[in-house]
Amino acid sequence: MRALWYFEEVNLFKILCPHKYSEYKAGHEFNSYKKSDYIYFEDDAATKLYLIDEGKVKIGYYTEEGEEVIKAILTKGELFGEKAILGIEKRNEFAQSIDNQTLICPVAKDTMHDLMRDNASVSFKIYKFIGLRMKKLERRLQLLLFKDTKTRLLEFFKDLCEDYGYECPDNGDHVIKHPYSQKDIATLIGTSRQTLNSIMNELKQDNVIEFNRKELRLRKNIA
Amino acid sequence: MRALWYFEEVNLFKILCPHKYSEYKAGHEFNSYKKSDYIYFEDDAATKLYLIDEGKVKIGYYTEEGEEVIKAILTKGELFGEKAILGIEKRNEFAQSIDNQTLICPVAKDTMHDLMRDNASVSFKIYKFIGLRMKKLERRLQLLLFKDTKTRLLEFFKDLCEDYGYECPDNGDHVIKHPYSQKDIATLIGTSRQTLNSIMNELKQDNVIEFNRKELRLRKNIA
DNA sequence: GCCTAAGTGTCAGCTAGCTGACATTTTAAA
DNA sequence: TTTAAAATGTCAGCTAGCTGACACTTAGGC
């Protein structure tokens, strides 16, 4: 998916950050967050969207039982809070910095609407971004409806690979340095931590993947 | 959800159909479909979105095994194929008329983009519509991830109620005349037909719902 | 009006994946 | 450096929900 953007020589951040547009530049600032700082909370008013210039941001929410559920971890160049431009007034998730040096460029939804109206290229990019989000959501839903845990996990790894992966020059493995714990992955693909762990070790056994706490490798033939 | 539109005295169809806009009116026509006619197929180019003026439309796709999977059944006033405006070029589902007198107003995605640029109210409505779609998708995903089949079914019924329900004047039950078979519902909520059937009969037993092939009733206290 | 296909109801196995319980390893805060 | 908390690994039950099989009912095309 991301490959598409590169193909079109587009980077969301470059295109969208209002610093690029002189008329919006004045008074526009980057925000800086330390580890564990919240960018917004559940139920906050959704007035802005955000671009990550540096660092990592965790998106998630809490269940009725107070348990944290992770929705995604985003990094440099990625955009979040975009539902603000879709007329959704309240956050139903929180956004939290998980790096000590997170730099974020906020864009008011009205500014964004103006940008989109005035600039067909911007609006096209945003449409496309939202279309992609939707497509991914639908795909996840279908996996959950029809595929077993192992398949879902493999699909998740392929997605991770597109976002974080690079090819190991030595042997063609795909190396993925990602920020997700096994618990995170388990909730993302809809299984228990224990089941996830045993499947991962089974896949390691079968030489399909290799992993430790820092990185994940998909063996050459796969993905 | 739908209540929101009414509250704002907005009807998607009224707002969006290009017949309302003189400059787009010329040459614009309604299409008529008989039962089982396809409006579009999987893999067709996605160049238009559609508004239903009359009749019912089934949205779905086929699995690798050739089995039909239903995504939704839409009726008068509802919009589909909207992913065309989000820069998605190919349909990944089909749309098929299931009434003998289905009338549909097609809108080219470029026309829609023009409309949206020229008219803030239209673009706002479309944004909101897409935001709602996304919210619903996310909610479905969460139900699937964390709730058991019975809960998912009850939630599905509540949604149905918002779309098709009206209050029975006699006893306050919510009466829902919907077009879904048990098989459809089962795949929509991610369970087997058999399990669904037994849960429905259990709920009937417990006097939570009442149903036959034509309609569904949610007893007063519920939903 | 008949007949076939689709929809509905029910049951007896079976199994993927959950739960709880515990050990070990790693991380990061004090 | 110490130590508590988080992350990972493993296992033995257990159960929600799946599968296949079959009977019955209804709808709609001919």
Side-chain angles (χ1 to χ4, degrees), chain A residues 142-152, chain B residues 64-65:
Chain A
Q142 286 181 24
L143 287 172
L144 219 40
L145 285 171
F146 302 116
K147 303 296 183 180
D148 66 9
T149 307
K150 195 168 176 175
T151 309
R152 296 202 305 271
Chain B
E64 300 101 49
E65 298 84 37

Side-chain angles (χ1 to χ4, degrees), chain B residues 192-208:
Chain B
S192 67
R193 205 214 88 236
Q194 295 94 317
T195 301
L196 177 87
N197 178 266
S198 71
I199 294 180
M200 281 183 69
N201 281 298
E202 182 192 324
L203 287 171
K204 187 193 268 186
Q205 211 73 169
D206 296 350
N207 203 35
V208 176

Side-chain angles (χ1 to χ4, degrees), chain A residues 9 23 28 50 115 123 137 147 158 166 168 185 187 197 199 213:
Chain A
E9 310 196 78
E23 65 261 55
H28 189 264
Y50 302 87
L115 260 174
S123 70
L137 260 182
K147 303 296 183 180
K158 285 185 203 166
Y166 60 92
C168 175
I185 300 175
T187 61
N197 179 267
I199 294 180
R213 276 166 212 237

Side-chain angles (χ1 to χ4, degrees), chain A residues 13 50-55 57 74-78 80 103-104:
Chain A
F13 188 81
Y50 302 87
L51 282 154
I52 304 176
D53 185 40
E54 202 60 63
V57 174
L74 305 174
T75 59
K76 186 174 177 146
E78 294 193 279
F80 65 95
L103 261 190
I104 290 186

Side-chain angles (χ1 to χ4, degrees), chain A residues 182 193-194 197 213:
Chain A
Q182 290 188 7
R193 206 214 87 232
Q194 295 94 319
N197 179 267
R213 276 166 212 237

Side-chain angles (χ1 to χ4, degrees), chain B residues 138-182:
Chain B
E138 287 188 350
R139 174 139 159 283
R140 248 182 102 192
L141 199 69
Q142 286 182 23
L143 286 172
L144 219 40
L145 286 171
F146 302 116
K147 303 296 183 180
D148 67 7
T149 307
K150 196 169 177 176
T151 310
R152 297 202 305 272
L153 179 60
L154 256 7
E155 288 298 312
F156 177 79
F157 283 161
K158 285 185 204 165
D159 283 356
L160 262 195
C161 196
E162 271 167 17
D163 284 355
Y164 296 96
Y166 60 92
E167 199 149 321
C168 175
D170 297 347
N171 53 16
D173 284 1
H174 290 89
V175 183
I176 304 171
K177 288 179 186 291
H178 66 87
Y180 297 97
S181 72
Q182 291 187 5

